[in-house]
Amino acid sequence: MLASKIFENINARISEAIAASPVRDVEKNVRAMVTSALSRLDLVSREEFEVQTELLRRTREKLDAATERLAELEARLK
């Protein structure tokens, strides 16, 4: 019984020491710096990238079709 109280006391003190440790502050600061640095970059989400890729694909198909149609019309005029 006494041994378990001692271990509980040690465990509580270790938990308090870790909570008050500068390691947590360093971790918070590093996360804040990384988040700040990433927010300054021109990054897009994967979903937005996929949407733009699909839009570009459809635009390319329309451009190819219009180019083909223009070539047909030019051939008729000659």
Side-chain angles (χ1 to χ4, degrees), residues 38-54:
L38 289 176
S39 70
R40 283 184 250 143
L41 298 175
D42 289 332
L43 300 176
V44 297
S45 68
R46 185 63 159 163
E47 181 181 351
E48 187 177 349
F49 177 79
E50 295 295 336
V51 167
Q52 291 301 318
T53 301
E54 179 61 22

mmCIF file of all heavy atoms in Angstrom, residues 38-54:
data_model
loop_
_atom_site.group_PDB
_atom_site.id
_atom_site.type_symbol
_atom_site.label_atom_id
_atom_site.label_comp_id
_atom_site.label_asym_id
_atom_site.label_seq_id
_atom_site.Cartn_x
_atom_site.Cartn_y
_atom_site.Cartn_z
ATOM 1 N N LEU A 38 4.378 28.225 -43.452
ATOM 2 C CA LEU A 38 3.548 27.589 -44.481
ATOM 3 C C LEU A 38 2.432 28.512 -44.950
ATOM 4 O O LEU A 38 2.037 28.472 -46.115
ATOM 5 C CB LEU A 38 2.960 26.275 -43.958
ATOM 6 C CG LEU A 38 3.955 25.144 -43.775
ATOM 7 C CD1 LEU A 38 3.268 23.924 -43.154
ATOM 8 C CD2 LEU A 38 4.616 24.762 -45.077
ATOM 9 N N SER A 39 1.927 29.343 -44.063
ATOM 10 C CA SER A 39 0.836 30.241 -44.455
ATOM 11 C C SER A 39 1.317 31.312 -45.420
ATOM 12 O O SER A 39 0.531 31.858 -46.197
ATOM 13 C CB SER A 39 0.191 30.875 -43.227
ATOM 14 O OG SER A 39 1.071 31.794 -42.622
ATOM 15 N N ARG A 40 2.602 31.611 -45.404
ATOM 16 C CA ARG A 40 3.145 32.611 -46.331
ATOM 17 C C ARG A 40 3.405 32.045 -47.720
ATOM 18 O O ARG A 40 3.595 32.800 -48.661
ATOM 19 C CB ARG A 40 4.436 33.191 -45.767
ATOM 20 C CG ARG A 40 4.175 34.197 -44.669
ATOM 21 C CD ARG A 40 5.439 34.841 -44.193
ATOM 22 N NE ARG A 40 5.673 34.317 -42.846
ATOM 23 C CZ ARG A 40 6.841 34.029 -42.341
ATOM 24 N NH1 ARG A 40 7.926 34.208 -43.033
ATOM 25 N NH2 ARG A 40 6.942 33.549 -41.113
ATOM 26 N N LEU A 41 3.411 30.735 -47.838
ATOM 27 C CA LEU A 41 3.638 30.106 -49.139
ATOM 28 C C LEU A 41 2.330 30.028 -49.918
ATOM 29 O O LEU A 41 1.250 29.987 -49.344
ATOM 30 C CB LEU A 41 4.199 28.690 -48.946
ATOM 31 C CG LEU A 41 5.544 28.601 -48.238
ATOM 32 C CD1 LEU A 41 5.902 27.141 -48.019
ATOM 33 C CD2 LEU A 41 6.632 29.294 -49.027
ATOM 34 N N ASP A 42 2.438 30.020 -51.220
ATOM 35 C CA ASP A 42 1.256 29.883 -52.067
ATOM 36 C C ASP A 42 0.948 28.401 -52.250
ATOM 37 O O ASP A 42 1.249 27.804 -53.282
ATOM 38 C CB ASP A 42 1.483 30.542 -53.433
ATOM 39 C CG ASP A 42 1.522 32.045 -53.339
ATOM 40 O OD1 ASP A 42 0.889 32.589 -52.423
ATOM 41 O OD2 ASP A 42 2.182 32.675 -54.184
ATOM 42 N N LEU A 43 0.326 27.819 -51.246
ATOM 43 C CA LEU A 43 -0.017 26.404 -51.283
ATOM 44 C C LEU A 43 -1.514 26.245 -51.505
ATOM 45 O O LEU A 43 -2.305 27.103 -51.113
ATOM 46 C CB LEU A 43 0.371 25.725 -49.970
ATOM 47 C CG LEU A 43 1.850 25.780 -49.602
ATOM 48 C CD1 LEU A 43 2.062 25.167 -48.229
ATOM 49 C CD2 LEU A 43 2.693 25.071 -50.634
ATOM 50 N N VAL A 44 -1.891 25.169 -52.153
ATOM 51 C CA VAL A 44 -3.298 24.854 -52.345
ATOM 52 C C VAL A 44 -3.574 23.477 -51.762
ATOM 53 O O VAL A 44 -2.679 22.646 -51.639
ATOM 54 C CB VAL A 44 -3.706 24.872 -53.838
ATOM 55 C CG1 VAL A 44 -3.546 26.253 -54.429
ATOM 56 C CG2 VAL A 44 -2.911 23.877 -54.639
ATOM 57 N N SER A 45 -4.823 23.251 -51.444
ATOM 58 C CA SER A 45 -5.191 21.937 -50.926
ATOM 59 C C SER A 45 -5.184 20.930 -52.067
ATOM 60 O O SER A 45 -5.250 21.283 -53.244
ATOM 61 C CB SER A 45 -6.577 21.989 -50.279
ATOM 62 O OG SER A 45 -7.553 22.217 -51.275
ATOM 63 N N ARG A 46 -5.121 19.681 -51.717
ATOM 64 C CA ARG A 46 -5.138 18.615 -52.717
ATOM 65 C C ARG A 46 -6.439 18.662 -53.500
ATOM 66 O O ARG A 46 -6.457 18.475 -54.709
ATOM 67 C CB ARG A 46 -4.967 17.257 -52.024
ATOM 68 C CG ARG A 46 -4.856 16.112 -52.981
ATOM 69 C CD ARG A 46 -3.631 16.310 -53.807
ATOM 70 N NE ARG A 46 -3.189 15.073 -54.379
ATOM 71 C CZ ARG A 46 -2.347 15.034 -55.379
ATOM 72 N NH1 ARG A 46 -1.851 16.134 -55.876
ATOM 73 N NH2 ARG A 46 -1.960 13.889 -55.864
ATOM 74 N N GLU A 47 -7.552 18.920 -52.789
ATOM 75 C CA GLU A 47 -8.860 18.988 -53.438
ATOM 76 C C GLU A 47 -8.902 20.120 -54.467
ATOM 77 O O GLU A 47 -9.358 19.918 -55.594
ATOM 78 C CB GLU A 47 -9.946 19.203 -52.383
ATOM 79 C CG GLU A 47 -11.338 19.264 -52.965
ATOM 80 C CD GLU A 47 -12.393 19.508 -51.903
ATOM 81 O OE1 GLU A 47 -12.077 19.470 -50.692
ATOM 82 O OE2 GLU A 47 -13.543 19.724 -52.292
ATOM 83 N N GLU A 48 -8.392 21.290 -54.084
ATOM 84 C CA GLU A 48 -8.371 22.415 -55.020
ATOM 85 C C GLU A 48 -7.486 22.107 -56.226
ATOM 86 O O GLU A 48 -7.824 22.446 -57.366
ATOM 87 C CB GLU A 48 -7.876 23.671 -54.309
ATOM 88 C CG GLU A 48 -7.978 24.916 -55.149
ATOM 89 C CD GLU A 48 -7.543 26.166 -54.399
ATOM 90 O OE1 GLU A 48 -7.361 26.097 -53.166
ATOM 91 O OE2 GLU A 48 -7.394 27.201 -55.057
ATOM 92 N N PHE A 49 -6.367 21.440 -55.990
ATOM 93 C CA PHE A 49 -5.475 21.053 -57.080
ATOM 94 C C PHE A 49 -6.188 20.111 -58.047
ATOM 95 O O PHE A 49 -6.099 20.271 -59.269
ATOM 96 C CB PHE A 49 -4.218 20.386 -56.508
ATOM 97 C CG PHE A 49 -3.272 19.900 -57.562
ATOM 98 C CD1 PHE A 49 -2.419 20.771 -58.211
ATOM 99 C CD2 PHE A 49 -3.249 18.560 -57.916
ATOM 100 C CE1 PHE A 49 -1.550 20.324 -59.190
ATOM 101 C CE2 PHE A 49 -2.389 18.092 -58.884
ATOM 102 C CZ PHE A 49 -1.533 18.980 -59.528
ATOM 103 N N GLU A 50 -6.901 19.127 -57.518
ATOM 104 C CA GLU A 50 -7.622 18.170 -58.357
ATOM 105 C C GLU A 50 -8.706 18.869 -59.185
ATOM 106 O O GLU A 50 -8.900 18.556 -60.361
ATOM 107 C CB GLU A 50 -8.238 17.059 -57.506
ATOM 108 C CG GLU A 50 -7.223 16.169 -56.803
ATOM 109 C CD GLU A 50 -6.358 15.355 -57.743
ATOM 110 O OE1 GLU A 50 -6.782 15.097 -58.893
ATOM 111 O OE2 GLU A 50 -5.249 14.982 -57.327
ATOM 112 N N VAL A 51 -9.413 19.808 -58.575
ATOM 113 C CA VAL A 51 -10.453 20.557 -59.290
ATOM 114 C C VAL A 51 -9.826 21.340 -60.440
ATOM 115 O O VAL A 51 -10.337 21.328 -61.572
ATOM 116 C CB VAL A 51 -11.213 21.506 -58.325
ATOM 117 C CG1 VAL A 51 -12.060 22.503 -59.092
ATOM 118 C CG2 VAL A 51 -12.066 20.704 -57.361
ATOM 119 N N GLN A 52 -8.725 22.012 -60.172
ATOM 120 C CA GLN A 52 -8.073 22.799 -61.222
ATOM 121 C C GLN A 52 -7.497 21.899 -62.320
ATOM 122 O O GLN A 52 -7.516 22.264 -63.500
ATOM 123 C CB GLN A 52 -6.969 23.677 -60.608
ATOM 124 C CG GLN A 52 -7.497 24.789 -59.736
ATOM 125 C CD GLN A 52 -8.416 25.735 -60.485
ATOM 126 O OE1 GLN A 52 -8.158 26.109 -61.621
ATOM 127 N NE2 GLN A 52 -9.503 26.111 -59.842
ATOM 128 N N THR A 53 -6.999 20.736 -61.960
ATOM 129 C CA THR A 53 -6.484 19.791 -62.955
ATOM 130 C C THR A 53 -7.597 19.330 -63.882
ATOM 131 O O THR A 53 -7.420 19.276 -65.107
ATOM 132 C CB THR A 53 -5.839 18.578 -62.252
ATOM 133 O OG1 THR A 53 -4.778 19.040 -61.417
ATOM 134 C CG2 THR A 53 -5.302 17.586 -63.249
ATOM 135 N N GLU A 54 -8.763 19.025 -63.314
ATOM 136 C CA GLU A 54 -9.908 18.598 -64.117
ATOM 137 C C GLU A 54 -10.385 19.742 -65.013
ATOM 138 O O GLU A 54 -10.708 19.526 -66.185
ATOM 139 C CB GLU A 54 -11.049 18.117 -63.216
ATOM 140 C CG GLU A 54 -12.290 17.682 -63.945
ATOM 141 C CD GLU A 54 -12.087 16.511 -64.897
ATOM 142 O OE1 GLU A 54 -11.118 15.750 -64.725
ATOM 143 O OE2 GLU A 54 -12.911 16.366 -65.824
#
